[in-house]
Amino acid sequence: MPLLRQFFSHRLIWLALLVSLGIGVLFARSVWTIRKDEWDYATQTNTNLAQTLERSLIWALDSYDRSLQGVAREAGNPETWAMPPDLRARVVFDNSLRMEGVGNVFVLDTKGDLILDSGSLEPRKANFADRDYFQAFESGTHTGLFVGKPVPSRIRGIYILPLSRAYQHPDGSFAGVVVGALRLSFFNEMFRSLDLGPNSGVNLFRSDGVIISRFPYGDADVGKTIAGTHNFLRFQREGSGSFVGRAALDSVERLYTYRKVGNYPLIVNVAQATQTILDKWYRSAWMLGGFALLLIGGCMALGLLFVRELTLRQSVSGQLKQAEHDLRTILNNLPSMIGYWDRQLHNRFANHAYVEWFGQAPGEMRGRHISHLLGPELYEKNRPYLEQALQGHAQLFERTITDPKGVARFAILSYIPDFDGDEVRGIFVQATDITERKRMEDALFDEKERMRLTLRAIGDAVVCTDAQGQVTYLNPVAQRLTGWQAFDAAGHNADEVVNLRSADNDALLDSPLRQAIQQACAVDAVRGIVVHRSSGARFQVEGSASPITDRHGAVTGAVAVLRDVTEAVAMAERMAHLAQYDTLTDLPNRLLLQDRAEVAMAQARREANLLAVMFLDLDGFKQVNDNLGHAVGDQLLVQFARRLQAAVRASDTVCRQGGDEFVVLLPGLDTPEAACGVARKILAACDTPFELAGRRVQVGISGGIALFPQHGDTFDDLSRHADDAMYAAKRGGRMRFMLYRGPGADPEPVLPESATA
């Protein structure tokens, strides 16, 4: 019984379903009938069109064939060839057909040469022995009219369809071929008046599948063959009829209506795209189908609407009660105070949180003015916000409320107007306890302040970024190095603010901050240069970076520490320089000279040339020190060092040995005379007096020269021999150079230019 009652209670749905089914069947039958009518009409129309085209083609071909038969008959008459050429042409071609699209008629001899031309009294030079029609008649395999393969004309170059017959000598032997041509434009003109719609047209094939004409697709496919395709096999097998198939050339589905053209080896085919045939039906079907669906949907919707209305009426009261219960349960369990006050600020609803905050139950508050709840003092503080809310402006503010236990609570309150059209009929009030959040904010602020003061006190530059590499903090040292103020750098890309460059080639270095964010691990210290934003000052820094992660391990930013090592690097470079250069003259010392000498001797061995070592000593240096002081003596050494450097090549090395002794290394010499030439330049450089403490002082030099490899194969040997030669120069009168000559031999003086000349 319950099932039966349920069936009858839903009878409207069953009725709607039956009506909808009847509408659907009726419309489906109508649509199918329309489709069948459209298809039958297209089939009959295409059949009539194919028959008309067949008769037109038969008439044209019969007419042309009779013309060719007349020409063949005259060409086979021996008397014709005895006539004068002009009379013979008139007699032979008197029977040729004159119509639009018909080409000239040619008479060929047994070799395929053109001997008579209907278009010219003097036959043009041409041979057609390679044509399929000539070969068929010559071999005797064909009689009667031969329909050739469409080819480009050798005379005019346009596509033609050759039609030919053989003619015979009186004894019946093969005498030649009479060939005429129908231009393919002849068929196109015949088919041009037909409009079968998109992707549709008329095709003319030879019975072996060779394409003669495809209208309106042009001549691109002329001469191709579709022999062996499914469609053409059916053309050949059935001769005439209609069927639906897909084209081998373009894969378009069409309705093919085809007929064999009389007794000729030709097939005419009307091919209309099924989409074109059914296009109008599709539109009608969609329109009718849409209307049917609309009616069906309307019936079903009405039935469902009635059933739904009945069902809703039975359950709406229960749902409303349940919804009210659920809403009160939710609001009473929220951690916030939720209330509603009408336009006169009388309570209409309050949740149980008011008991904890104000000690009043929702039932006690119903209908009371809000001032009874807040008290006079708190009401006066909140009244401006209440008035703004009643004027339609939402309010959000913070307030401190003391609960019945005397505990101060920090709360954030929102007053949301309840609009009835343009009029405010009440306000929703929500108060959320933010005491714990306030405590945490204060603690966080204190922690942040301690961190800020710590970072300000650090002597290194500190740069902080977020997870996207945007700067969030710069301490004062970082501001001094980069030239960016913290407020100006905030939000800028870290690569823009801290632009690290290589100290070697000034190339940009990878940002440690960016690497720390991407790799989620600390980046080892890297050294580079930071360029000040405004002044352009360059600071040598050593920086490292570490990612900042949250408690889940996700990267939220990065911090980089940059230590200014400019002075340390400068000091290291200065110490490295002092280790290899003389402090007073800034000339290479003996350690650097030793290294360069070893390199120069190795090069001299490879290139088989010479190098020279010169030892020099100032004559009278002690007297300058004694008479003018050590400071002036130092000036003399500096000036003498500059003159020495000016007298030698850039590739030579001038070294201060100590005191007033100097050593000169001359690599890459071709002859000993080259070293002597340098010695003369050094002597000439000392001819001019030195300006010392306002006085002109004449100082001489003595020097000795040793050559590699003649005078030694080590630098120590060369130094010792050059020193010996220098002391020989001092003993010999000073202001001269002596060239070492070997053990036991006296050094040889280096003569001035005038003496050598």
Side-chain angles (χ1 to χ4, degrees), residues 164-218:
S164 58
R165 277 185 173 274
Y167 67 94
Q168 289 81 26
H169 292 297
D171 59 0
S173 62
F174 174 68
V177 176
V178 176
V179 58
L182 290 178
R183 301 190 189 98
L184 295 190
S185 59
F186 171 79
F187 301 107
N188 293 337
E189 289 297 328
M190 180 183 295
F191 304 150
R192 189 176 300 280
S193 60
L194 305 178
D195 184 8
L196 300 176
N199 293 320
S200 305
V202 180
N203 304 314
L204 183 62
F205 306 104
R206 251 184 14 174
S207 57
D208 59 355
V210 174
I211 298 173
I212 296 175
S213 174
R214 291 188 78 228
F215 182 83
Y217 308 110

Side-chain angles (χ1 to χ4, degrees), residues 704-706 711-712 716-726 740 743 747:
I705 305 172
H711 304 149
D716 290 339
D717 291 342
L718 294 174
S719 299
R720 186 172 63 255
H721 295 156
D723 189 49
D724 292 343
M726 180 189 72
Y740 182 76

